[in-house]
Amino acid sequence: MAQRTVLVVLFDGVQSLDVTGPVEVFAGAEKGVPGSYRIRTASLDGGPVRTSSGLTLVADQALTEAPDPHTLLVPGGAGTRSPDPRLVDWLRAHGTRAKRLVSVCTGALLLAEAGLLDGHRATSHWSVCEKLARDHPAVEVDPDPIYIRDGHLATSAGVTSGIDLALALVEEDIGRETALSIARHLVVFLRRPGNQAQFSAQLVAQTAQREPLREVQQWITEHPGDDLSVEALATRAGLSPRHFARAFQTETGMTPGRYVDRVRLEHARRLLEDTSDGIEEISRACGYGTPEAMRRAFVRSLGTAPAEYRRRFRPAPAH
């Protein structure tokens, strides 16, 4: 197996977890499969950098001395808001030389500033996706997934999603068993699917201001298998279906149907991960009615069927 060099870019104001999370994953792979990865860190001048939390990270070398890596990893942090122009220039000149270009969190802003995301689909931390799309119209920004793979380019959302993406890359490079071993050691999921939403339905939707609508939101969450049609929910809220649908979207930011779809999908995912219930039983419990309806929902939202999702993401039984 050819050794892959992972070069992590450091700069003042970097988010420490964006660096250490992926590094722990790649280092775990190197311990499990010696010779698989060589991890290097580099700053503009080769000196130490101060992270956004006040920690000091010592770089291995200067960026100008670093050889072209297999994987170039650009973390995020407060330092991406007003980056050193020299860093952007270096990324513009060297980013295309890496076989794999990876960003964590707001590191996508640096890649975009260097023109490396143009023509690609990408994501970043939810709080900067609107800015990313506005400032860089040539980038197809998707604020929902926790990470996106687009050819040699991989971008991820908030800090912990950098671990998810790194685990996915290790699984691709070395295999599932190595990635699973690392995940167990770090006490994280093997990996969340990249197109999993950054937030649950309850977090992505605003909390309704009016009490009847808040109660309906809670009812949906607690009763995903019930009749959750607009008519049934409107009756529970004491409103006409038309008034309810309009008020729900105004106060939560999404239609009742979209909210119900998210809740049902999340509930089905949890049952697949945490129980041994059959697919048909889960489809009924989550309000899909039939396994085929649930399969279509999973393929549409997660790109995989329920049985495959369970195989990949249900924790292995303890021995």
Side-chain angles (χ1 to χ4, degrees), residues 19-304:
V19 175
T20 58
V23 164
E24 288 290 344
V25 172
F26 290 119
E30 170 61 23
K31 290 176 184 176
V33 185
S36 54
Y37 293 104
R38 179 174 181 261
I39 305 164
R40 304 291 292 172
T41 58
S43 62
L44 273 171
D45 301 315
V49 301
R50 192 167 181 82
T51 71
S52 56
S53 61
L55 295 174
T56 297
L57 300 179
V58 180
D60 293 316
Q61 61 191 136
L63 282 172
T64 53
E65 301 169 355
D68 295 336
H70 174 277
T71 299
L72 179 61
L73 191 148
V74 182
T80 62
R81 295 172 187 165
S82 299
D84 189 317
R86 295 179 299 157
L87 177 57
V88 175
D89 289 343
W90 186 90
L91 288 171
R92 185 179 295 113
H94 295 266
T96 56
R97 301 180 187 178
K99 290 185 173 62
R100 189 161 60 194
L101 193 56
V102 177
S103 70
V104 180
C105 198
T106 57
L109 295 177
L110 295 178
L111 296 186
E113 197 66 29
L116 297 170
L117 298 186
D118 288 357
H120 291 281
R121 181 168 169 257
T123 194
S124 185
H125 191 278
W126 61 269
S127 65
V128 302
C129 280
E130 185 176 342
K131 170 181 170 57
L132 180 60
R134 183 181 64 249
D135 294 350
H136 303 280
V139 182
E140 182 186 346
V141 180
D142 188 341
D144 200 30
I146 59 173
Y147 63 81
I148 290 175
R149 301 289 306 279
D150 187 354
H152 76 290
L153 181 69
T155 54
S156 61
V159 287
T160 58
S161 63
I163 296 175
D164 295 299
L165 177 53
L167 284 168
L169 297 177
V170 168
E171 183 176 356
E172 175 186 299
D173 292 343
I174 304 176
R176 176 181 170 82
E177 288 307 312
T178 298
L180 180 58
S181 176
I182 298 166
R184 285 172 177 160
H185 179 71
L186 297 178
V187 197
V188 296
F189 291 109
L190 168 55
R191 65 178 174 91
R192 294 178 290 174
N195 44 8
Q196 180 175 313
Q198 292 192 32
F199 292 109
S200 66
Q202 292 88 342
L203 289 178
V204 76
Q206 304 166 40
T207 301
Q209 296 179 1
R210 282 182 276 182
E211 187 172 336
L213 295 180
R214 286 201 305 271
E215 291 177 353
V216 166
Q217 282 182 286
Q218 188 64 29
W219 172 265
I220 293 170
T221 301
E222 295 174 352
H223 303 84
D226 283 22
D227 177 5
L228 300 180
S229 63
V230 168
E231 290 74 18
L233 296 175
T235 299
R236 178 164 292 278
L239 301 170
S240 71
R242 185 176 179 181
H243 185 191
F244 167 78
R246 185 169 61 248
F248 190 96
Q249 181 164 8
T250 298
E251 296 199 15
T252 68
M254 64 173 60
T255 65
R258 179 63 173 152
Y259 188 81
V260 168
D261 287 345
R262 282 180 175 259
V263 168
R264 283 178 166 161
L265 186 70
E266 289 164 12
H267 190 60
R269 281 183 36 244
R270 286 195 295 271
L271 291 179
L272 288 168
E273 292 170 6
D274 300 338
T275 76
S276 58
D277 296 348
I279 300 295
E280 186 169 354
E281 183 180 357
I282 292 174
S283 67
R284 288 197 305 268
C286 296
Y288 289 111
T290 66
E292 176 57 24
M294 186 168 81
R295 189 193 71 80
R296 288 197 301 269
F298 266 68
V299 170
R300 181 174 62 250
S301 298
L302 299 177
T304 188

